[in-house]
Amino acid sequence: MDQKMFCFQCEQTAGCKGCMGNAGVCGKKADTAALQDKLTGALIGLAGACANNEKTEMTDHLILEGLFTTVTNVNFNNETILQLIDRVHEEKNRISPGCTGCGAPCGQTEDYDMSKLWNADEDIRSLKSLILFGIRGMAAYAYHAMVLGYTDDTVNAFFYRALFVLGLDWTMEQLLPVVLQVGEVNLKCMELLDKANTETFGTPAPTMVPLTVEKGPFIVVTGHDLYDLKLLLEQTKDKGINVYTHGEMLPAHAYPLLKDYPHLKGNFGTAWQNQQKEFANIPAPVLFTTNCLMPVKDSYADRVFTTEVVSYPGMVHIGEDKDFAPVIKKALELGGYDKDMEFTGINGGHQVTTGFSHGTVLSVADQVIDAVKSGAIRHFFLVGGCDGARPGRNYYTEFVKQTPSDTVILTLACGKYRFNDLDLGTIGGLPRLMDMGQCNDAYSAIKVAAALADAFGCGVNDLPLSMVLSWYEQKAVCILLTLLHLGIKNIFLGPSLPAFVSPNVLNYLVENYNISPISTPEEDLKKILG
């Protein structure tokens, strides 16, 4: 009998209820989903073992790696997941050797059976899912910071607490504060990653990025990991190979240290869900550094390379030594295009701009404030989040197109590919459309909103600011929880509401935060602007 799965952690889950067949919408097979559940259960057991035993940096690393591995579109490889489960078990036995064969087991260090969570009362399941998916997303941010040598004891400690809570028979009243605590700690985690990125690579500055691919050998780098990109740039220096970003790697062009490499040329392709079409027969290798990997098609399978937590059966994986020689060799073999290739964004634009981080925007805060006071800027929209393939996401393109000329659009994450090649002109000496960076750069938007609220002597909810967000995977979940922790209300969320949010939990969010599902651009703009 074929193994069946249950997974509802992403926005595209089947029927907006859950993937329950032989494979998920993302391409993950049922046996892989079962192993990811087993890994999560092992992590819960490891967290239990650490409740009364001393953890180490290795334990912290395993917790982050394990949670990151279970984020959507990261790992499709049963072999590497099994190896990770073994490592978690080995670490648990090392930390608590006395638990093996204990005559009076407490049960807290045993692997947790995830079916207990999936089959729990729907409200309990909903709150525990918010915690689990939230810490999975937060683990991705903490992992990127850790790679750069930045950690935080409060952030790391919370992963253990949250995992431990998942294994307890708690009530809604007990779980709800932990849900909001995910948002609180994630704010600290995003601040940590922002510090890690800017202190390592410099403060981002507005940068125009061409969509043209020059003739000759090249490599496409996708994902989120700036450090992997830096290492690749160093190893390809003076080798006649150009490097192009893809997807969430686009904001790398704004960092001074990375811009110093002249062979970091531009951006190839659009959002992650278009990769199977855009990578077909591409005359260059593609390096996947984090999530957003889709099942690999035969038309480009021979040129896909993975690194860090990303893994796919049959693909060459670059290990901890970070020797990108196989990628470089493949780039030289394929040779690239024989002439410059002119590509465009979804709306026909030939270039995009990025780099409007909080450092840049706040450096001209007086200019922004004056434009608001004079009436030149009537309203700010944060239109950002994850992109995806489900019909209805053209809402975000049309919304941005229909925003009045006296409004500013801030954007971040891969949802911007729906409209980031549009030329919306300027306002008050500033571009109307400003890309603030990757999904974790929601921290920049929060910093800007807080600064504007201080300048006008009001709360963030009193600002002429509306958040119109799209979500796909678990990093969007932890960012939403951060916004709720900050008390931000009136968020428009789409293209569909999370399947793991039960009616009672949804009612709580609507009553306390006035979260609204998106409707049409026309109706929502009228609701916002009057």
Side-chain angles (χ1 to χ4, degrees), residues 510-521:
V510 171
E511 291 173 4
N512 289 274
Y513 301 97
N514 198 29
I515 289 182
S516 302
I518 60 171
S519 56
T520 66

Side-chain angles (χ1 to χ4, degrees), residues 110-369:
E110 296 176 359
D111 287 7
Y112 181 71
D113 181 358
M114 291 296 289
S115 66
K116 293 180 180 178
L117 193 159
W118 307 137
N119 294 315
D121 167 84
E122 67 172 353
D123 292 330
I124 299 299
R125 181 178 73 170
S126 182
L127 293 176
K128 285 192 173 185
S129 294
L130 279 167
I131 294 170
L132 174 59
F133 302 156
I135 62 173
R136 283 177 174 175
M138 185 167 68
Y141 298 147
Y143 190 95
H144 291 313
M146 178 188 66
V147 167
L148 295 175
Y150 289 73
T151 59
D152 183 275
D153 290 341
T154 300
V155 173
N156 284 342
F158 181 72
F159 286 112
Y160 294 86
R161 166 172 163 72
L163 284 166
F164 186 71
V165 165
L166 292 175
L168 300 178
D169 294 325
W170 275 16
T171 64
M172 287 186 66
E173 290 73 19
Q174 291 173 302
L175 290 170
L176 188 56
V178 184
V179 172
L180 296 178
Q181 193 178 5
V182 174
E184 177 184 7
V185 178
N186 184 60
L187 178 62
K188 192 173 186 68
C189 186
M190 288 195 297
E191 180 182 17
L192 177 71
L193 181 54
D194 178 81
K195 180 181 180 181
N197 284 337
T198 55
E199 291 187 356
T200 303
F201 304 110
T203 300
T207 303
M208 187 278 290
V209 183
L211 303 181
T212 298
V213 176
E214 298 180 11
K215 68 178 181 179
F218 68 98
I219 297 170
V220 175
V221 184
T222 189
H224 303 74
D225 200 299
L226 300 178
Y227 185 60
D228 280 331
L229 174 60
K230 194 264 182 187
L231 294 176
L232 180 67
L233 287 168
E234 189 62 30
Q235 292 181 36
T236 50
K237 189 167 55 177
D238 302 322
K239 284 185 166 50
I241 299 173
N242 290 328
V243 176
Y244 293 85
T245 56
H246 172 268
E248 280 273 65
M249 201 64 87
L250 168 64
H253 292 274
Y255 288 91
L257 185 147
L258 299 175
K259 289 171 69 173
D260 282 346
Y261 290 92
H263 59 301
L264 178 61
K265 290 290 187 176
N267 192 71
F268 175 84
T270 54
W272 67 271
Q273 78 277 0
N274 299 321
Q275 65 188 257
Q276 292 177 327
K277 177 181 178 181
E278 293 175 344
F279 293 164
N281 301 308
I282 181 177
V286 181
L287 175 65
F288 284 85
T289 66
T290 60
N291 60 310
C292 299
L293 170 69
M294 295 179 71
V296 180
K297 298 290 188 180
D298 292 341
S299 59
Y300 59 94
D302 65 323
R303 57 209 68 186
V304 168
F305 296 82
T306 62
T307 192
E308 287 295 343
V309 296
V310 189
S311 188
Y312 194 87
M315 301 299 106
V316 176
H317 187 78
I318 306 300
E320 293 181 1
D321 62 356
K322 293 297 179 181
D323 181 358
F324 292 114
V327 189
I328 293 169
K329 180 181 178 183
K330 179 62 70 172
L332 294 172
E333 286 177 356
L334 293 170
Y337 295 109
D338 57 9
K339 64 179 181 178
D340 292 354
M341 299 292 291
E342 297 283 344
F343 294 101
T344 65
I346 289 177
N347 302 287
H350 293 274
Q351 62 188 37
V352 294
T353 304
T354 189
F356 289 92
S357 67
H358 61 89
T360 294
V361 177
L362 294 182
S363 70
V364 293
D366 291 344
Q367 188 176 340
V368 174
I369 292 167

Side-chain angles (χ1 to χ4, degrees), residues 387-525:
D387 204 0
R390 187 188 295 277
R393 288 183 180 266
N394 61 323
Y395 163 95
Y396 298 94
T397 309
E398 294 306 313
F399 185 96
V400 169
K401 285 182 177 179
Q402 294 180 35
T403 54
S405 60
D406 57 355
T407 62
V408 170
I409 297 92
L410 306 174
T411 190
L412 48 84
C414 62
K416 63 177 169 275
Y417 280 103
R418 293 278 171 173
F419 48 79
N420 69 335
D421 63 322
L422 291 171
D423 182 2
L424 300 182
T426 60
I427 180 172
L430 298 168
R432 281 194 58 222
L433 177 60
M434 291 186 273
D435 174 17
M436 307 189 86
Q438 296 181 340
C439 54
N440 56 283
D441 291 313
Y443 178 72
S444 275
I446 291 169
K447 288 279 286 185
V448 169
L452 289 175
D454 288 343
F456 289 109
C458 65
V460 171
N461 290 315
D462 300 315
L463 288 172
L465 168 67
S466 299
M467 298 191 179
V468 184
L469 307 180
S470 56
W471 80 282
Y472 172 72
E473 43 94 335
Q474 296 75 65
K475 284 177 282 185
V477 175
C478 65
I479 290 172
L480 177 62
L481 294 179
T482 293
L483 297 177
L484 300 185
H485 156 71
L486 293 170
I488 295 174
K489 299 182 178 182
N490 304 313
I491 297 170
F492 289 79
L493 184 64
S496 65
L497 295 179
F500 53 81
V501 173
S502 68
N504 286 333
V505 173
L506 178 60
N507 288 338
Y508 174 87
L509 296 176
V510 171
E511 291 173 4
N512 289 274
Y513 301 97
N514 198 29
I515 289 182
S516 302
I518 60 171
S519 56
T520 66
E522 295 81 5
E523 291 176 4
D524 290 342
L525 280 168

Side-chain angles (χ1 to χ4, degrees), residues 70-83:
T70 59
V71 169
T72 304
N73 294 92
V74 171
N75 192 315
F76 296 80
N77 194 334
N78 291 356
E79 182 179 347
T80 57
I81 299 174
L82 282 168
Q83 291 171 357

